[in-house]
């Protein structure tokens, strides 16, 4: 079933701090009789492929990768894939074949990352094997982090050094899919546990931008290089990465400029609303929000977070009152305690970070200001998507 000569190809990891290649991942290829190279990935995914044949194939590819990695710069690391399915076949206390190969290669173990794949089928022996890899000096990466089968407690128990975001989840999030906030949360969790993040499958500028927004330490993908048999020069992508990074920074600066403009508009709006609210005038005397297309609703709370007035929303050319939330307490929402912490002085206007509204499922920001000598809070919900 395994037709062709096994060999390794290398796909680089780009360091987002420098744009230089920091390391490579070794991937399996088979060279056919006509000289063409094809991926061995389908063989590893096919349950009909004999496990013993796969183990031989994997070790041959790893042997080739370690032999040729001697040509790489001394500050690079090499990522080697390890399947827990094979770990489960090891006898208790059996020497680890991958460590035997590594020792035979003469490569410093601190330059090696063992990348654990298919964690959903992880064996009971995995924590012990991971510990032995780490004792030898190697680092540990978890592949497909965030995929459907991932169990966060099992991942964190392994104390990995690197987490590779699941490629499908990452790419969907980068396209603006609903998983965006999930991926960002996973990245933040990884950062807090001391792990570096690798974003793999980076094929477009939008995906690179999302990787940078997630705080990825390394990026990997066709935007820079496909897996190749020959090693690239360390600085092969420095210029291209610098240009793309500058585009990202300019985009973020434009976002900040829009936020500054929003704050200026909010100050004007709140000044008008404050006069209206403190006068006790009816909603009919409120101006039309033609200059504020992002305005979702206006309401007031007491300083403890209990809603005192109906929500006012502009619909069909008039202000409509929604009194369903009268008496509800919002002190637990992020914008409210942020307002209490930062805007206690009566004239201070605060703007929350973006959050998902619990009742409408919209992404919002909330602006707030104390009025009536600090007895009431005037609040404005803003459509984040509209910005």
């Amino acid at each position: 079933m395994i037709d062709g000569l096994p060999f390794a190809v290398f796909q680089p990891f780009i360091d987002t701090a420098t744009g230089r290649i920091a390391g490579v991942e070794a991937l399996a290829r088979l060279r056919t009789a006509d000289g063409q190279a094809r991926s061995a990935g389908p063989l590893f995914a096919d349950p009909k492929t004999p496990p013993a044949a796969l183990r031989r194939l994997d070790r041959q590819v790893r042997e080739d990768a370690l032999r040729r990695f001697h040509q790489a710069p001394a500050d690079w690391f090499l990522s080697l894939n390890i399947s827990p399915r094979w770990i489960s076949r090891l006898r208790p206390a059996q020497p680890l074949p991958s460590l035997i190969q590594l020792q035979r290669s003469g490569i410093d173990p601190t330059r090696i990352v063992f990348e654990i794949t298919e964690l959903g089928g992880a064996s009971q022996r995995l924590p012990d094997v991971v510990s032995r890899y780490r004792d030898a000096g190697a680092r540990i990466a978890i592949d497909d982090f965030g995929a459907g089968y991932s169990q966060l407690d099992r991942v964190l128990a392994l104390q990995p050094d690197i987490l590779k975001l699941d490629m499908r989840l990452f790419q969907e999030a980068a396209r603006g899919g609903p998983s965006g906030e999930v991926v960002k949360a996973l990245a933040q969790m990884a950062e807090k546990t001391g792990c570096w993040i690798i974003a793999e499958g980076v094929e477009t500028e939008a995906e690179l931008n999302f990787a940078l927004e997630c705080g990825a330490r390394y990026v990997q993908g066709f935007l820079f290089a496909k897996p190749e048999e020959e090693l690239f020069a360390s600085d092969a992508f420095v210029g291209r990465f610098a240009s793309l990074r500058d585009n990202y920074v300019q985009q973020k600066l434009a976002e900040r400029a829009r936020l500054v403009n929003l704050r200026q508009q909010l100050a004007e709006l709140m000044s008008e609303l404050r006069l209206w609210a403190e006068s006790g005038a009816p909603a009919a005397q409120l101006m039309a929000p033609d200059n504020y297309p992002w305005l979702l609703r206006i309401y007031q709370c007491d300083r403890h977070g209990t809603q005192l007035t109906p929500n006012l929303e502009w619909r069909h050319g008039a202000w409509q009152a929604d009194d369903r939330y009268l008496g509800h307490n919002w002190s637990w929402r992020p914008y409210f305690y942020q307002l209490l912490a930062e805007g206690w002085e009566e004239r201070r206007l605060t703007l929350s970070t973006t959050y998902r509204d619990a009742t409408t499922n919209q992404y919002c920001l909330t602006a707030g200001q104390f009025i009536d000598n600090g007895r009431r809070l005037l609040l404005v919900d803003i459509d984040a998507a509209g910005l």
Side-chain angles (χ1 to χ4, degrees):
M1 294 184 66
I2 297 178
D3 181 21
L5 177 67
F7 68 101
V9 292
F10 301 106
Q11 188 172 31
F13 298 109
I14 310 299
D15 188 331
T16 56
T18 65
R20 297 174 64 83
I21 295 175
V24 289
E25 179 180 5
L27 299 166
R29 294 291 184 268
L30 292 167
R31 197 183 310 281
T32 56
D34 59 1
Q36 298 297 310
R38 61 186 178 92
S39 172
L43 288 172
F44 287 92
D46 187 350
K48 297 178 182 178
T49 311
L54 281 181
R55 285 198 301 277
R56 284 196 302 272
L57 169 62
D58 180 70
R59 289 171 187 173
Q60 285 179 285
V61 171
R62 195 179 304 142
E63 197 77 40
D64 182 52
L66 288 167
R67 176 179 57 81
R68 290 194 286 125
F69 190 64
H70 282 285
Q71 305 164 17
D75 59 347
W76 284 20
F77 65 86
L78 173 64
S79 181
L80 299 170
N81 293 310
I82 301 290
S83 172
R85 288 185 300 168
W86 301 337
I87 290 174
S88 65
R89 295 173 181 269
L90 295 171
R91 297 184 304 276
Q94 176 185 346
L96 300 180
S98 47
L99 288 183
I100 294 173
Q101 281 185 303
L102 178 57
Q103 185 177 23
R104 194 164 55 230
S105 75
I107 292 173
D108 184 347
T110 61
R111 299 179 64 197
I112 299 298
V113 173
F114 286 115
E115 187 172 320
I116 310 298
T117 62
E118 305 166 26
L119 196 61
S123 74
Q124 297 286 333
R125 296 180 188 167
L126 184 57
D128 174 64
V129 170
V130 164
S131 178
R132 290 164 69 184
Y133 285 148
R134 187 170 278 115
D135 289 344
R139 287 178 290 173
I140 303 300
I142 301 295
D143 195 15
D144 295 330
F145 181 61
Y149 58 72
S150 290
Q151 298 181 38
L152 297 184
D153 57 340
R154 296 174 75 184
V155 170
L156 296 178
L158 295 175
Q159 298 182 321
D161 304 286
I162 297 171
L163 292 172
K164 294 185 76 172
L165 296 173
D166 177 67
M167 186 165 68
R168 291 178 184 173
L169 184 69
F170 168 78
Q171 289 178 333
E172 192 225 337
R175 290 192 294 269
S179 58
E181 294 304 314
V182 174
V183 174
K184 288 180 185 178
L186 289 171
Q188 288 174 358
M189 185 196 74
E191 185 178 17
K192 289 178 180 177
T193 56
C195 296
W196 287 346
I197 284 288
I198 292 179
E200 63 176 330
V202 175
E203 299 179 359
T204 66
E205 187 169 353
E207 288 168 356
L208 174 62
N209 291 347
F210 187 70
L212 294 175
E213 195 164 343
C214 289
R217 174 64 189 271
Y218 305 115
V219 293
Q220 175 189 19
F222 290 0
L223 182 63
F224 297 100
K226 295 181 179 180
E228 298 285 353
E229 193 168 355
E230 299 301 321
L231 296 169
F232 291 94
S234 289
D235 59 356
F237 308 105
V238 168
R240 175 163 173 72
F241 182 82
S243 176
L244 292 168
R245 182 189 57 216
D246 288 347
N247 290 347
Y248 170 75
V249 171
Q250 291 304 315
Q251 176 184 307
K252 301 309 286 186
L253 288 174
E255 289 178 13
R256 296 301 301 177
R258 288 194 294 272
L259 186 58
V260 169
N261 183 58
L262 171 63
R263 284 186 175 276
Q264 292 172 343
Q265 290 181 300
L266 273 172
E268 297 169 5
L269 173 63
M270 294 296 268
S271 179
E272 297 178 36
L273 292 177
R274 178 177 181 144
L275 292 174
W276 163 80
E278 291 187 330
S279 70
Q285 292 187 19
L286 266 175
M287 75 297 178
D290 298 332
N291 296 328
Y292 313 107
W294 34 258
L295 179 61
L296 290 175
R297 64 190 66 88
I298 302 164
Y299 54 105
Q300 297 175 49
C301 292
D302 66 21
R303 66 187 307 128
H304 303 293
T306 300
Q307 188 161 335
L308 301 172
T309 66
N311 288 345
L312 293 178
E313 301 179 7
W314 183 259
R315 295 196 303 270
H316 310 299
W319 289 102
Q320 307 289 332
D322 180 357
D323 59 7
R324 288 178 297 168
Y325 304 105
L326 283 171
H328 286 215
N329 186 279
W330 309 118
S331 60
W332 53 274
R333 283 188 167 180
Y335 64 78
F336 199 90
Y337 49 77
Q338 182 179 350
L339 177 61
L340 290 180
E342 299 179 15
W344 193 257
E345 293 184 10
E346 187 176 347
R347 290 192 174 89
R348 177 72 182 273
L349 171 66
T350 66
L351 181 63
S352 74
T353 54
T354 303
Y355 65 95
R356 189 167 187 167
D357 185 82
T359 55
T360 66
N361 282 329
Q362 287 176 294
Y363 285 100
C364 306
L365 299 92
T366 295
Q369 190 170 35
F370 283 97
I371 62 171
D372 193 19
N373 292 318
R375 287 187 289 269
R376 285 183 289 157
L377 286 155
L378 179 60
L379 297 155
V380 172
D381 285 350
I382 297 163
D383 181 6
L387 301 178

